[in-house]
Amino acid sequence: QVQLVESGGGLVQAGGSLRLSCVASGRTFTSYWMGWFRLAPGKEREFVAAISRGGGSRYYADSVKGRSTISRDIAKNTVYLQMNSLKAEDTAVYYCAAASRYSAGAGEYDYWGQGTQVTVSS
């Protein structure tokens, strides 16, 4: 079992930045690829970014590429999502998740956090 707890969401103006954090506990953190997803009202859950077990490989959705950076601190069992140049369409609940292999599909992720709300005002 892996427990994931997100934090760092909030209300920010368009053009601003936020850094989301996700602390993992339970099984070995480095056993998992870590991903960020988001869910906006009226939309399907959307892949945002993923990072490999050691942090050497990273993938991003086109919608956030160039504006966001995913990283992980193995010593702190924490994965981060730095988001810059935020837009109103980035408003969503953001979830971190853990998977045994890379995937942009939510169904491949075995463990999920409770989510953190990001609201971008225009």
Side-chain angles (χ1 to χ4, degrees):
Q1 288 286 341
V2 176
Q3 293 78 43
L4 303 172
V5 179
E6 303 98 333
S7 61
L11 175 64
V12 62
Q13 289 188 336
S17 299
L18 279 176
R19 188 178 79 159
L20 307 183
S21 300
C22 173
V23 179
S25 60
R27 296 189 66 180
T28 306
F29 182 56
T30 53
S31 296
Y32 299 94
W33 280 75
M34 298 298 296
W36 285 96
F37 289 79
R38 64 188 182 185
L39 181 61
K43 296 185 178 181
E44 295 185 353
R45 187 162 41 186
E46 177 188 16
F47 170 77
V48 176
I51 188 168
S52 60
R53 298 177 188 85
S57 297
R58 309 176 190 194
Y59 297 91
Y60 298 93
D62 288 343
S63 57
V64 303
K65 195 174 295 182
R67 301 188 295 121
S68 297
T69 302
I70 188 171
S71 61
R72 66 194 299 169
D73 186 330
I74 294 173
K76 295 183 178 179
N77 280 6
T78 302
V79 61
Y80 303 98
L81 183 67
Q82 176 71 43
M83 300 189 294
N84 302 320
S85 302
L86 283 161
K87 306 174 183 179
E89 50 263 45
D90 293 318
T91 295
V93 178
Y94 284 71
Y95 299 88
C96 73
S100 58
R101 59 180 181 177
Y102 167 69
S103 177
E108 294 291 333
Y109 287 76
D110 300 310
Y111 303 101
W112 292 82
Q114 83 290 347
T116 186
Q117 176 71 48
V118 171
T119 302
V120 183
S121 63
S122 57

